[in-house]
Structures are given as C-alpha cells and as structure tokens.
Amino acid sequence: MVFLSPGLTYLVVLLLVPLALVLSYTVFQRGRFGGVVREFTSENFARLIDPLYLGVLGGSLRIAALTTLIALLVGYPTAYLIARLPGRWRTLALVAIVLPFWTNFIIRVYAWIMLLSGPGLVNSALGKLGLGPFELLYHEGTIVTGLLYSYLPLMVLPLYSAIERLDPQLGEASANLGASAFTTFRKVTLPLTMPGVLTGCLFVFVPSFGNFVIPEMLGGSKSTMVGNLIRDQFLKARDWPFGSALALALIAVLVVLLVVQAWAARRA
C-alpha cells in the first residue's frame, strides 16, 4: 500500500478531484459576470441537444473518424514493413517514427502553417510547375492532415507490436494450403493483429476528437471542434457550468468508445 500511495495521490489530486468539480458545475448556473452561481438548474444539459452544438459534436466525430481511418490505412502497411525489416534497420525505422515527438507540439503545427500558407513551400513548388497558388489552410482537410501527422505514430506502434509477434510460419502454412496473399492477410494476419488495430484506432481517435490546438491554428475560425467549444466556454464566454456539461458529454463519448474497444478486443 505504501508503494501505491504516490500513484493513488496523483490520481486523486489531479484526476478525481477535477472530475468531481466538473461534475458539480454541470448542475449550477453561470454568474452574471462569469463564474459559477450555486443554484441548481438542468439548463446546461438541455443546451447540449441544441442543433448548433450537435453540429459541432458531429463535425468533431467526422474529423476524428476520418483521421483514424486514414491513419489505419497508412499505418498498417508501414508497421508491416517495419516488422519485416532486419533488426538494425527496424530500430532506425522505429526511431524515425517517434522522431516527431522529440519536437515541441506547437512548433510542429507552426511548421505546417509555413508549408501550407500562401507563399509557403508547397505553393512555391506548385508555382514552378505552373499550378496554383491554392488556399491550403483553414479548412477540414488541413485539420485532418495536421491530426494525422501528429498522431500517426500512435497508430503505427501498436500495430507494429501486434505484427511483430506473429509467427511467420502461419503465413507459410496458409500459402502451402493454397491461399493467396490477400486471403492469408484477410483470414490469418488481420484477425490475429486485430487487438493492435483496435488499440491504434483508440489512440488516434481519442486525442483527435478532443484536440483544439490544431483546429485553432490550421482550421481558423471556419472550423470549430468540440475541444475549441469547451475551451471557449471556459476562457471566453466564462460559462463554466455549460463548459463542464460539454466536457462531461465528451468524457461520456470517450467512455463508450473505451467500452466498445474492450468488448471488441475480447471478441478478437
């Protein structure tokens, strides 16, 4: 118990206590000049079903799901190739995958602004080919690109771990029985690596769904995700009760996803 006390203290002080405060604020009213007035109300939950906020939630789900799908389509073959490399090259490839995490997150986002801005490197290269310039910033495609770049390693690493543990003799046995490469992948490789697929999808979807830095910097005022909405309620509108209700809705969605992932992993 003595060895558990530091971890338990950390969870209680930095997780359970803030979560309890957020839960308590959801049933209170906003003060006239911001803050919280401790008068009970259910208005905060009623506002959650407003079409405006449901649209933001739906847009956030769409962007996060699209990012996760593209990350899976890109990350699976990448992880498969890395797992089949010789030992030394495999280590170098893994270092290259995690290398972006060695740089500050904001700096990496600013790098995309420099690349995709009007006079940026991409438009300059297209101009030499007689194309453009194009408006590459401030739309959903740019947000997906930024999220994909930021969280793709979180997809590759679990997939690599799952693929690397596969017994190569299983694929050889499938080929000897007359199965094509696609059939071997569909009936042998993919089912056995499904826990890694589910883990990678969860690792990408969760931070993409709640991210507010990338939509703010790459999406501009035209794109608002649920993370931006929650941030604005606390820091701009100073409506802490409604911001807490939005945060609670976000937590509820993520809990549902965790339950679904755990169930699917057991089935797999």
Side-chain angles (χ1 to χ4, degrees), residues 11 69 101 154 163 181 233:
L11 289 175
L69 177 60
F101 286 111
L154 301 180
I163 295 171
Q233 295 303 316

Side-chain angles (χ1 to χ4, degrees), residues 33-265:
F33 302 104
V36 178
V37 176
R38 300 186 181 280
E39 298 179 1
F40 289 95
T41 180
S42 60
E43 180 184 355
N44 299 314
F45 294 103
R47 291 173 63 186
L48 290 176
I49 61 175
D50 185 286
L52 174 64
Y53 302 122
L54 289 178
V56 173
L57 180 62
S60 301
L61 288 170
R62 182 180 66 254
I63 291 175
L66 180 59
T67 301
T68 304
L69 177 60
I70 298 175
L72 178 60
L73 296 177
V74 175
Y76 200 104
T78 302
Y80 189 89
L81 290 175
I82 293 175
R84 296 296 179 261
L85 290 175
R88 183 181 65 177
W89 295 107
R90 186 185 309 173
T91 302
L92 291 175
L94 290 174
V95 170
I97 290 294
V98 301
L99 191 61
F101 286 111
W102 298 359
T103 307
N104 183 273
F105 180 77
I106 301 297
I107 294 177
R108 285 184 279 141
V109 178
Y110 268 117
W112 277 104
I113 295 177
M114 299 298 294
L115 287 172
L116 300 178
S117 62
L121 183 62
V122 174
N123 270 321
S124 298
L126 291 174
K128 294 180 180 179
L129 299 175
L131 303 174
F134 299 103
E135 181 57 56
L136 301 176
L137 284 174
Y138 310 129
H139 53 78
E140 286 191 4
T142 312
I143 297 175
V144 172
T145 301
L147 292 172
L148 180 65
Y149 169 75
S150 299
Y151 300 127
L152 181 60
L154 301 180
M155 176 67 77
V156 173
L157 294 178
L159 288 173
Y160 163 79
S161 178
I163 295 171
E164 196 270 338
R165 291 197 300 265
L166 282 178
D167 187 350
Q169 294 182 353
L170 295 175
E172 296 173 3
S174 177
N176 291 336
L177 292 173
S180 64
F182 178 74
T183 302
T184 299
F185 172 78
R186 182 169 58 89
K187 294 189 175 182
V188 178
T189 305
L190 184 59
L192 291 177
T193 58
M194 188 56 65
V197 171
L198 296 172
T199 301
C201 289
L202 188 68
F203 283 178
V204 173
F205 185 90
V206 170
S208 298
F209 184 50
N211 192 285
F212 65 90
V213 175
I214 292 176
E216 180 78 16
M217 298 177 66
L218 298 183
S221 59
K222 299 178 182 179
S223 302
T224 299
M225 293 182 65
V226 66
N228 305 88
L229 186 60
I230 295 173
R231 188 276 315 270
D232 291 343
Q233 295 303 316
F234 278 98
L235 300 182
K236 294 183 178 180
R238 293 182 57 81
D239 192 347
W240 290 16
F242 183 57
S244 299
L246 287 169
L248 182 63
L250 177 61
I251 293 172
V253 171
L254 297 182
V255 168
V256 170
L257 290 175
L258 287 171
V259 172
V260 171
Q261 188 268 347
W263 174 81

